[in-house]
Amino acid sequence: MADAHVASMEQRANNMVAQRAEPALRLLHTIVMSLHENAADPRYRRLPYSTNRKLRSVLDKSTEGQAFLMALGYRLDRTGDLTLDLRGRSVDGVRPLYSSALSTLSRALQQLTSSPAPREVQLDQSLPPQPAEGSAGVTSVTVKFVKGGPDLHGTVVSRRFDAGDTLRDVKRFVEGSMEIKLARPRDEEAAFSSSSSAAAAVPARDAAAAADYQLVDRAQQNRAFADDDADTTLQALGLWPSANLTAVVRDASEHDPSALAHSHSGAAAEDTHAQQQSGRGQGQGQRQRQSQRPLPSQLLNAHKSRHEAYSSKRAMGTTHSVKRAQAAAAAERRAAQDRVMAVLKKEAKVQDATKASQAQAQAQAQAQVQAQAEAEAQAQAQMELDEAMALQLAREFENEAARTQAAQA
C-alpha cells in the first residue's frame, strides 16, 4: 500500500515538473519538510485551506499538487481544511513515507531548476508578478499586433498587471511576445533541420530585436505612447482597470532610408526609360503604367486596412472574443477545481461513514461484552443464593434430627 502511495507521489511530481509548477512544488516541499521535522506535533498535520489565501491560490492552480497531498494522506474535513490521516499508523510508522515524499520533491525541484525554462515562462518571470484575477488594483492589458508578417499580424496577447506597474513593463511584455511569436516558426524549422538549436535561435532573436513598433491606445482616440511615458504608471496613463492596445509593427522599408532611396532611384530610372521611348513604345509604356496603377477600390481598401485596428466595431469584436475566451478558461478552471473539491468531499464522506460504522460496530461489541458480563454476574449471584439456601436447609434438618433424638431419650 505504501509503495502505491510513493509511486503516485512520484508521478504527480513528474507531472508538476512537466507543467513548470514551481510554486506548487516549493509549497509541497515546505509542508513535507515541516511534517518530517515535527512528526509528533499534530499542529503540522492540519493545513488551513479554507482561511489561508496563499495556500489556497497555489493549490487551486495545481490539481497535481492536490493529488500529491491526497496520496500523502491529506483529506478535506468538515471545516474545509486539509487534515492528515495517519490511517491507524504510529508516528514512527509514517516517517518513511515522509522521507520518500521529501526526496521525491527535492529531485523534482532539482530537475526543474536544472532544465531550461520555455520562452513563455522566462518572459513571465522577467515581468512583475501577475496579480490574481479580481484582486484590488489589477488591470487587464490586451495587445493586438498589426503588420509584422503572417506569423505576427492579427495575433492577440493579454496579461494582468498591477495599476502601479509602468508602461515599460507592458512594453517588455509586448517585445517578449513578439520575440516568441517570431521565433516559433524558426524553432519548428530548426527541429527538423540538421543544424543546432542554438544556431537556429540567433536569427529569431535578431529578427525580433530588429522589429520596430508603435504602441497605440484604441480607447483614448488612438493615442500613441512616446518614450517619455515608459516610466509612468498604468493608472496615470488611463490604462486601468482594463486596456485595449495595438502594437503597429513597422516594416524595415518604413524606417530604412537606404531602402527608400533605392525605391526612389528605381522609380526615377523607370520614368527616364519611359520618357526615352517614342511612338508605339510610348503608348505601350503608358498602357503598362495604367495597368499597374491600382484601382480606386484597392486604394480605398488599403486605406481602410491602415485603420482596421482602430475600428470600434473590430475592436469591440476582438475584445468580446478575448473576454469570451478568458471567461471560458476561467469556467474550465473552476470546473476542474469543483471536480477536485467534489472528490475530496466524497472521500471525506466515505471516511466519515467508515469511521461511523466502525464506531457503531465497536459500540455493539462493547454492549455484547457488557451484557455477557451482566449475565455471568447474575448466574454467579443465583448460584451463591442457591448454596446459601442449601446450607440453611441442611442446618435446619440437623436441628430437627437433634430435637427428635432428645425427645425419644
Side-chain angles (χ1 to χ4, degrees):
M1 187 66 179
D3 295 338
H5 291 299
V6 172
S8 178
M9 288 189 291
E10 291 179 352
Q11 180 65 34
R12 302 303 179 183
N14 293 332
N15 294 341
M16 283 186 282
V17 170
Q19 297 172 0
R20 312 295 301 182
E22 184 175 358
L25 283 173
R26 294 197 178 279
L27 176 64
L28 294 174
H29 188 271
T30 303
I31 293 173
V32 178
M33 177 67 74
S34 301
L35 284 174
H36 187 265
E37 293 178 352
N38 305 275
D41 195 344
R43 294 178 299 174
Y44 292 90
R45 303 174 198 162
R46 187 180 186 86
L47 299 178
Y49 181 77
S50 60
T51 57
N52 194 320
R53 294 180 59 185
K54 184 177 180 180
L55 174 67
R56 190 183 186 96
S57 63
V58 174
L59 291 180
D60 286 349
K61 294 177 182 177
S62 176
T63 56
E64 298 294 337
Q66 298 175 7
F68 188 94
L69 289 178
M70 292 171 61
L72 188 60
Y74 277 95
R75 296 293 181 267
L76 192 68
D77 57 13
R78 296 179 179 178
T79 62
D81 293 339
L82 294 172
T83 307
L84 182 63
D85 184 11
L86 298 180
R87 302 186 182 95
R89 294 170 296 182
S90 62
V91 174
D92 295 333
V94 294
R95 286 185 186 273
L97 184 61
Y98 297 159
S99 301
S100 301
L102 190 60
S103 61
T104 299
L105 293 172
S106 300
R107 287 196 303 269
L109 285 172
Q110 184 177 4
Q111 183 180 357
L112 186 64
T113 54
S114 61
S115 59
R119 297 177 187 268
E120 291 82 357
V121 178
Q122 291 178 356
L123 174 61
D124 189 71
Q125 292 176 353
S126 65
L127 297 172
Q130 187 170 194
E133 185 176 0
S135 60
V138 63
T139 176
S140 178
V141 178
T142 303
V143 182
K144 179 181 179 181
F145 292 100
V146 176
K147 298 184 179 181
D151 298 325
L152 190 62
H153 176 71
T155 58
V156 179
V157 293
S158 60
R159 190 183 188 273
R160 294 187 301 274
F161 290 88
D162 189 82
D165 295 338
T166 61
L167 185 64
R168 190 183 303 277
D169 300 326
V170 177
K171 296 182 72 173
R172 286 209 313 266
F173 170 65
V174 173
E175 293 166 2
S177 301
M178 290 171 59
E179 180 180 353
I180 291 171
K181 293 185 179 299
L182 291 176
R184 184 173 290 118
R186 299 174 183 268
D187 293 342
E188 292 177 357
E189 293 178 2
F192 294 97
S193 63
S194 57
S195 60
S196 62
S197 59
V202 173
R205 289 193 294 267
D206 294 342
D212 190 13
Y213 68 97
Q214 175 63 56
L215 203 59
V216 180
D217 187 5
R218 295 177 280 183
Q220 300 186 34
Q221 298 180 356
N222 300 333
R223 174 185 177 183
F225 296 102
D227 295 337
D228 298 337
D229 300 327
D231 295 328
T232 308
T233 62
L234 301 180
Q235 187 174 5
L237 292 173
L239 304 178
W240 178 83
S242 63
N244 294 321
L245 305 179
T246 301
V248 183
V249 183
R250 300 189 182 95
D251 296 334
S253 60
E254 295 182 10
H255 51 78
D256 190 357
S258 61
L260 292 175
H262 179 71
S263 61
H264 286 309
S265 63
E270 290 180 0
D271 292 340
T272 304
H273 179 69
Q275 291 175 1
Q276 291 176 356
Q277 293 181 350
S278 60
R280 183 178 178 181
Q282 291 181 353
Q284 292 178 354
Q286 185 177 3
R287 287 193 298 271
Q288 184 178 5
R289 286 193 297 272
Q290 290 178 354
S291 63
Q292 293 177 353
R293 183 180 301 172
L295 298 174
S297 59
Q298 295 177 351
L299 291 175
L300 180 60
N301 291 332
H303 178 72
K304 287 182 177 180
S305 65
R306 293 175 55 198
H307 306 281
E308 63 177 357
Y310 312 136
S311 173
S312 60
K313 183 177 180 181
R314 182 178 292 271
M316 186 178 298
T318 303
T319 304
H320 288 173
S321 62
V322 171
K323 289 184 177 179
R324 284 196 297 269
Q326 291 176 351
E332 185 177 356
R333 289 195 300 269
R334 287 195 298 270
Q337 296 171 8
D338 293 341
R339 288 194 295 269
V340 174
M341 294 296 295
V343 171
L344 293 175
K345 290 180 179 179
K346 185 177 179 180
E347 290 189 356
K349 290 182 179 178
V350 171
Q351 185 178 5
D352 293 341
T354 304
K355 289 183 179 179
S357 61
Q358 291 177 355
Q360 184 178 2
Q362 186 176 3
Q364 291 178 356
Q366 291 178 355
Q368 291 178 358
V369 171
Q370 185 176 1
Q372 185 176 359
E374 291 178 356
E376 291 179 355
Q378 291 178 358
Q380 183 68 25
Q382 186 66 31
M383 185 180 299
E384 291 177 355
L385 181 61
D386 294 342
E387 289 179 355
M389 291 181 64
L391 290 174
Q392 185 177 1
L393 291 175
R395 292 193 192 97
E396 291 179 357
F397 181 77
E398 290 177 355
N399 294 334
E400 184 66 25
R403 286 195 297 270
T404 305
Q405 290 179 0
Q408 290 178 359

